Amino acid sequence: MSSKHLAKGSVEPPAVPNSLRFYSMRFCPYVQRVKLVLNAKGTPHDTVFIDLSDKPEWYLEKYPAGKVPALNYDGKFLSESLLLADFLDEIYPEPPLWNSPLQKILDKIFIESFGKVGSLFYKLIMTTTEVEKANFDELVVSLKSVEDELAQRGTKFFGGTSPKMVDYMIWPWFERLDAIEPYTKGKYAIPFNEQLKHLAKWKASMISDKAVASYYVTPEKHAEHFTKRKAGLPAFDILNE
């Protein structure tokens, strides 16, 4: 399947037999959540990349909301990353990615609270003409509560001895946090090894996980994507350049 993002005037690729159709944008963290679950489950799927700045007519005709991630399952268009993650965990039960029912609720509360980190990251990267120290400091402070949560759990991963749903749902933003240093040309970098040592170890373990490693993008490429997007330049297909 081509990794080129399809735009207006394109034609949807033919379906792949015995495979889920997964609609994606390569640099979207919400897409990455679902992709990590698909990878962890070993679920056969074929990916169609959508140019979100110039969406194909056929995609909007099938799915007027035009969002990604989306799955075409049994002729139904399904969306929203957390809902899709739960759905995939139910219909493909092995390996299970949630722990006990009680821990599942606690992890979902944690994932929801983690949303503040994502918001602060995009505020830092995309909403000012240049990265401002106050925004950077606010982001670092928000990460300290995540560090404390992992330390309190006392496990290698948030989910225990191996990555679970909670780890996969927050990972996409950690992959992008490392892009701050190349994006700011070394002016700012999250102080993982100094102030966030539990998270530093967790990050290293996550990058080695098979589901994560196969979809990993370097900090430099993430930084290039953000720089081009902010400048209004084509930014979706830079991995093909």
Side-chain angles (χ1 to χ4, degrees), residues 180-241:
I180 293 173
E181 185 170 7
Y183 181 79
T184 62
K185 297 179 171 57
K187 186 176 181 180
Y188 297 105
I190 301 295
F192 283 107
N193 292 325
E194 294 79 26
Q195 300 180 30
L196 306 165
K197 294 182 178 180
H198 290 87
L199 287 175
K201 292 180 180 178
W202 172 79
K203 281 174 66 261
S205 297
M206 285 295 289
I207 290 173
S208 298
D209 177 68
K210 185 186 299 185
V212 171
S214 63
Y215 198 70
Y216 179 76
V217 172
T218 65
E220 291 74 20
K221 279 298 183 181
H222 277 299
E224 181 182 352
H225 170 74
F226 290 129
T227 299
K228 289 187 173 182
R229 271 191 64 192
K230 199 168 182 180
L233 300 172
F236 297 136
D237 286 324
I238 60 174
L239 295 181
N240 301 321
E241 297 173 356

Side-chain angles (χ1 to χ4, degrees), residues 99 102-114 117 141-160 166-167 170 174 195-199 202:
N99 290 313
L102 173 59
Q103 191 59 49
K104 180 177 180 178
I105 291 177
L106 294 174
D107 285 346
K108 286 193 170 190
I109 292 170
F110 171 68
I111 292 167
E112 184 176 353
S113 69
F114 180 82
V117 173
V141 169
S142 73
L143 287 167
K144 289 181 179 176
S145 64
V146 185
E147 166 80 1
D148 292 343
E149 176 70 24
L150 183 56
Q152 183 178 358
R153 293 189 181 211
T155 50
K156 183 177 181 179
F157 298 96
F158 286 91
V166 59
D167 299 278
I170 68 174
F174 279 93
Q195 300 180 30
L196 306 165
K197 294 182 178 180
H198 290 87
L199 287 175
W202 172 79

Side-chain angles (χ1 to χ4, degrees), residues 30 114-125 127 139 173:
Y30 299 99
F114 180 82
K116 180 181 179 181
V117 173
S119 297
L120 289 173
F121 171 75
Y122 279 101
K123 177 183 176 182
L124 175 76
I125 293 289
T127 62
L139 175 60
W173 285 269

Side-chain angles (χ1 to χ4, degrees), residues 3-218:
S3 59
K4 180 177 174 58
H5 290 72
L6 301 183
K8 287 180 181 176
S10 66
V11 176
E12 181 174 11
V16 176
N18 303 314
S19 182
L20 285 180
R21 173 55 52 96
F22 179 47
Y23 298 95
S24 172
M25 190 279 272
R26 188 59 181 84
F27 288 91
C28 174
Y30 299 99
V31 163
Q32 189 173 5
R33 281 175 160 177
V34 181
K35 176 66 175 177
L36 293 178
V37 174
L38 289 166
N39 287 352
K41 299 283 185 179
T43 304
H45 60 283
D46 67 280
T47 302
V48 175
F49 293 97
I50 303 297
D51 184 335
L52 298 181
S53 66
D54 192 26
K55 298 171 186 175
E57 297 91 342
W58 59 262
Y59 190 58
L60 292 173
E61 182 178 339
K62 285 189 170 187
Y63 183 42
K67 299 190 296 182
V68 293
L71 282 174
N72 187 337
Y73 184 84
D74 197 23
K76 306 292 185 183
F77 263 71
L78 311 177
S79 63
E80 301 299 335
S81 63
L82 296 177
L83 296 179
L84 289 175
D86 267 354
F87 176 73
L88 290 169
D89 196 51
E90 290 175 5
I91 62 173
Y92 302 103
E94 295 298 329
L97 293 180
W98 290 114
N99 290 313
S100 68
L102 173 59
Q103 191 59 49
K104 180 177 180 178
I105 291 177
L106 294 174
D107 285 346
K108 286 193 170 190
I109 292 170
F110 171 68
I111 292 167
E112 184 176 353
S113 69
F114 180 82
K116 180 181 179 181
V117 173
S119 297
L120 289 173
F121 171 75
Y122 279 101
K123 177 183 176 182
L124 175 76
I125 293 289
M126 301 300 292
T127 62
T128 55
T129 55
E130 62 181 60
V131 173
E132 296 180 0
K133 187 176 187 306
N135 290 344
F136 176 77
D137 290 343
E138 188 177 11
L139 175 60
V140 172
V141 169
S142 73
L143 287 167
K144 289 181 179 176
S145 64
V146 185
E147 166 80 1
D148 292 343
E149 176 70 24
L150 183 56
Q152 183 178 358
R153 293 189 181 211
T155 50
K156 183 177 181 179
F157 298 96
F158 286 91
T161 57
S162 62
K164 294 288 189 178
M165 190 71 80
V166 59
D167 299 278
Y168 292 134
M169 294 303 100
I170 68 174
W171 170 255
W173 285 269
F174 279 93
E175 183 173 302
R176 287 154 181 78
L177 286 172
D178 286 338
I180 293 173
E181 185 170 7
Y183 181 79
T184 62
K185 297 179 171 57
K187 186 176 181 180
Y188 297 105
I190 301 295
F192 283 107
N193 292 325
E194 294 79 26
Q195 300 180 30
L196 306 165
K197 294 182 178 180
H198 290 87
L199 287 175
K201 292 180 180 178
W202 172 79
K203 281 174 66 261
S205 297
M206 285 295 289
I207 290 173
S208 298
D209 177 68
K210 185 186 299 185
V212 171
S214 63
Y215 198 70
Y216 179 76
V217 172
T218 65

